[in-house]
Amino acid sequence: MSLLLWAKGPGFALAAVLFLLGTAMRLAEILRLGRGTDLARPRGAAGGQALRTVFSRFLPAPGLFARSPVVHAGGYVFHIGLLVVVIGYGPHLAVLGIGGRGLPAGLIDGVTLLTMAAMTALLAARLRDPVKRLISGPGDYGAWGLVFLPLATGFLLVNRVLLPFEPLLALHLLSVEVMLALLPFTKLVHAFTFVLARGYAGAIAGRKGAHS
Amino acid sequence: MSDSPGLATLLRHHGIGRRDFLTFCAGLASALALPPVLAPKLAHALEAARRPSVIWLSFQECTGCTESLTRADQPSLEQIILSMVSLDYHHTLQAASGAAAEAARRQAMADNHGRYLVMADGSIPLGDPGYCTIGGMSSADLLAQTVAGAAAVIAVGSCAAFGGLAAAEPNPTGAVPISRLVTGKPVVNIPGCPPLPLAMTGVIAHFLAFGRLPELDSLGRPRVFYGETIHDRCPRRAFYDQGLFAKSFDDEGARQGWCLFQLGCKGPTTRNACATVKWNGGTSFPIGSGHPCLGCSQPSFWDAGGFYRPLSRPAGLGPGMAAAAVAAGAALGAVAASKRPSERQPVTLDDLETKS
C-alpha cells in the first residue's frame, strides 16, 4: 500500500509539476525563438497555410502509404488507439475530472491490445529497416518504452494478470508518472510541438505562395 | 486442555442435535476450503476435542471485535464454536475484576502451560506505555508474560494485526501490532474492523481439529478467509467491467446498484471474505448495502488516502502549484531562448557525420 500511496500522492504531484514546468518551458522556448525575419516580399498568406498545414499533415503524402503501409497503418492505429484508451476508459475519465460513463472495459481491452500490437509492429519495422535503425537512438527506443509501459501495465491491471490489483495499480500509476515527467524532455514532446512545427512549415510555404 | 466435557456433550447440553452438528461441520469444512472428504474427520476431531483455555487480552481497542463475536441474536456457528473454548480471561465478558481477574489469568496460564491460546485485540503503545496499562502492568509486559506459555497467538482485529486506528498518523502512542512483539510463537492475524466472526472461529476450529493453524498469507492472515479480494467476489463486479459507476450516493447509478469504485471502494485492494460470508447471518455486507468497502482488513487502511476517494485517483495538484509550475517553465524557456546566438550550439555538418 505504501508504494501505491506514494504513487497517488507525492509521486503524482512531482510528475505533474515536471510535466507542466517542462512543457511550458519547451513551448516558451520555441515561441520565443520564433523564425528569422524574411525580408522578401510575401507572395501568399502565411496564416491560412499555417492552420491548413496543422491538419493536412494528419494525412499521408500521396503515394507514401502504399510504399510503407505497415508504418502508416501502424501509426494510425497506435495514435488513435492511445487516444481512445486514455480518454475513453471510465476510470481515466474520473482521474481527468471529466464526466461520462466511458467505453466498455471489453472494448478498451481490445483497443489496448491492438495499440500494443501496432507499437510492436512499428518497433519491428524500425529494427528491420537499416536506414531507420541507423537514425534511431536511445531517445527513440526510450520514448517507445515510456508509452508502451503504461499500456501494458494498464492491460495487466484491468485483467488482473501476473500480480494482484494493488501492486499493478501502483506500477500503472508509476509508469504513467514517469512518462508524464519525461514527456517534455524526450521526443514525446511532439504531442504538443507538432502544432508549432507544422504551423511554422505551413507559414513559410504560404508566405512563398506555395501550398504546404 | 481444561478438564471439561468434549464438544459432543456440550452440544447435547445446549439442545443441538447430531444432524445439526454434522451440517455445521460440513459448512465449516467448506468455509475452511477443506475437501468434502475431510468433513466427517473434522466432525470426529471436534467431537473428541477438549475445551482449550483461551486468554483474551484487550489493549488499545474499542471492543468492536468482541461485539462482533457476541452480538449474534440467535445460536450461530460462531457461538457453537465459542462454546468449545474455556474463556478464562476477558475484560469485557468475565464477571471477576481487579485482583481476582488477574489471578484467574495466572491460574489459567499455570494450569494449561504450553497449551492455551492467547487471543489479543488492540495495539500495543510502545512510544508511551502509560496510554494502556492493565493491573499495573504495561501492555507490552502483560503480553510478554501471557504469551510465554501459550501454544499460539491470535491477533484479532486490525488494531492487533496491523496497529489499526491507534497507529494511524501521527500515531501518538507509538502503537505497534501484536506480531511485532511476539517471537517464537505462531501468530495468526485476523484483521478487520471488526473481523468476520467466522474467520475468528474458523481458525480456532482448525486448531482444535488438526492441532495446527491454517495456512497463512504474507501478512499472517489465514488464506481461506483472506485469499481473495472483495472485488473478486463482489456482486457489483459486472458493472465495473462494463464501466458503469455510481458517481454519488443518490444518483441513478447508485439506485441501479452500479459499481462503487468511483465513490472510493477499496474492494480491489482488500482481501477478506465479506462478499461471500457477509454479515448479520449472511444478510448483507457494506457494498451490498450501497456503501464502498473501506478496506478495513488491510494494513494502514485509515491512512490509505481517504475513504471516499477512488483508488486510482491521484491526490491532485493544487491550482496554485500548477500555475507556479507553468509560470516557472515559461520563464525558463524564455531565458533559454533569449541567449545570444553565439552562445547556442548549432548542429554542424561534422556533428551529423560523427553521428552517422
Side-chain angles (χ1 to χ4, degrees):
Chain A
M1 184 55 90
S2 55
L3 183 65
L4 177 59
L5 288 180
W6 189 89
K8 287 173 65 176
F12 177 79
L14 184 65
V17 164
L18 284 172
F19 170 73
L20 291 172
L21 188 142
T23 305
M25 190 177 84
R26 295 298 297 270
L27 291 178
E29 187 176 4
I30 292 169
L31 289 169
R32 181 81 171 78
L33 278 172
R35 307 297 303 182
T37 308
D38 188 348
L39 298 175
R41 194 173 60 196
R43 300 179 65 185
Q49 273 300 308
L51 193 63
R52 184 173 177 274
T53 308
V54 169
F55 294 98
S56 68
R57 294 282 170 92
F58 280 121
L59 299 173
L64 278 186
F65 196 103
R67 281 180 60 184
S68 50
V70 173
V71 170
H72 281 81
Y76 280 120
V77 171
F78 153 53
H79 280 92
I80 294 170
L82 191 62
L83 197 66
V84 168
V85 170
V86 170
I87 65 170
Y89 188 43
H92 291 171
L93 292 179
V95 171
L96 294 169
I98 305 170
R101 278 173 46 178
L103 299 169
L107 179 64
I108 295 292
D109 250 7
V111 173
T112 306
L113 279 176
L114 211 57
T115 307
M116 288 196 292
M119 288 188 73
T120 308
L122 288 169
L123 181 65
R126 183 182 285 267
L127 289 170
R128 282 168 62 91
D129 188 314
V131 176
K132 288 198 186 86
R133 201 167 57 234
L134 193 63
I135 61 172
S136 298
D140 298 283
Y141 298 116
W144 185 93
L146 285 176
V147 177
F148 192 84
L149 273 179
L151 283 168
T153 53
F155 182 80
L156 296 179
L157 172 64
V158 170
N159 292 284
R160 318 286 291 280
V161 184
L162 291 180
L163 290 172
F165 186 91
E166 188 179 312
L168 277 176
L169 179 58
L171 287 177
H172 182 57
L173 288 175
L174 285 173
S175 66
V176 172
E177 286 162 10
V178 170
M179 183 188 72
L180 272 182
L182 295 180
L183 186 145
F185 311 106
T186 60
K187 293 189 175 182
L188 296 178
V189 78
H190 78 269
F192 297 102
T193 55
F194 82 95
V195 178
L196 299 175
R198 290 182 188 180
Y200 278 145
I204 292 166
R207 185 182 167 84
K208 291 176 179 174
H211 285 292
S212 173
Chain B
M1 305 293 169
S2 301
D3 295 330
S4 55
L7 179 65
T9 310
L10 277 169
L11 291 176
R12 274 195 298 278
H13 180 70
H14 283 86
I16 297 171
R18 181 159 179 78
R19 180 181 295 274
D20 292 331
F21 175 64
L22 290 176
T23 305
F24 156 67
C25 287
L28 190 63
S30 172
L32 291 169
L34 299 173
V37 70
L38 279 185
K41 292 185 177 177
L42 182 69
H44 181 71
L46 287 178
E47 274 186 315
R50 314 303 290 182
R51 298 172 74 196
S53 171
V54 169
I55 296 175
W56 187 302
L57 301 175
S58 297
F59 300 113
Q60 295 189 125
E61 46 82 37
C62 68
T63 317
C65 298
T66 299
E67 293 281 352
S68 170
L69 265 178
T70 57
R71 278 301 172 100
D73 58 2
Q74 57 187 355
S76 64
L77 301 183
E78 292 75 38
Q79 286 173 315
I80 293 170
I81 281 292
L82 279 180
S83 70
M84 296 167 58
V85 303
S86 172
L87 196 54
D88 292 329
Y89 181 85
H90 190 302
H91 296 166
T92 310
L93 301 179
Q94 71 189 139
S97 63
E102 293 307 308
R105 178 177 63 84
R106 284 192 290 273
Q107 186 67 47
M109 288 167 58
D111 291 348
N112 304 285
H113 188 80
R115 296 173 308 204
Y116 62 87
L117 290 173
V118 170
M119 296 184 79
D121 62 342
S123 58
I124 308 289
L126 276 193
D128 184 345
Y131 277 106
C132 183
T133 62
I134 297 121
M137 295 176 71
S138 71
S139 299
D141 288 346
L142 179 63
L143 178 69
Q145 187 188 83
T146 310
V147 160
V153 181
I154 302 174
V156 176
S158 289
C159 294
F162 305 131
L165 176 60
E169 291 293 336
N171 192 357
T173 68
V176 298
I178 298 296
S179 58
R180 170 97 173 265
L181 300 177
V182 176
T183 52
K185 302 283 180 187
V187 179
V188 184
N189 287 330
I190 307 181
C193 193
L196 284 166
L198 184 62
M200 299 186 225
T201 53
V203 170
I204 297 175
H206 194 285
F207 182 75
L208 284 175
F210 303 110
R212 59 183 167 78
L213 295 166
E215 187 188 357
L216 307 179
D217 68 8
S218 61
L219 293 174
R221 304 175 296 193
R223 281 189 193 277
V224 287
F225 299 110
Y226 298 89
E228 293 184 318
T229 65
I230 300 291
H231 191 62
D232 288 331
R233 299 290 177 184
C234 183
R236 299 182 189 235
R237 174 62 186 268
F239 297 113
Y240 174 90
D241 292 337
Q242 293 176 59
L244 297 172
F245 300 98
K247 301 287 172 52
S248 75
F249 286 105
D250 58 355
D251 69 358
E252 182 60 20
R255 281 190 282 276
Q256 295 288 337
W258 290 355
C259 178
L260 301 171
F261 183 86
Q262 292 187 14
L263 288 172
C265 185
K266 305 294 183 293
T269 57
T270 304
R271 291 182 175 274
N272 210 335
C274 301
T276 45
V277 175
K278 298 184 178 166
W279 290 83
N280 299 325
T283 305
S284 187
F285 75 117
I287 295 173
S289 304
H291 194 278
C293 168
L294 301 181
C296 74
S297 57
Q298 294 299 121
S300 305
F301 84 98
W302 291 100
D303 297 320
F307 290 159
Y308 301 101
R309 194 170 189 84
L311 267 171
S312 59
R313 186 173 300 173
L317 199 63
M321 190 181 282
V326 171
L332 283 172
V335 168
S338 63
K339 279 183 179 177
R340 285 178 302 172
S342 58
E343 293 178 8
R344 297 186 202 144
Q345 295 180 334
V347 178
T348 64
L349 195 58
D350 290 340
D351 292 332
L352 294 174
E353 286 178 347
T354 304
K355 184 178 179 183
S356 63

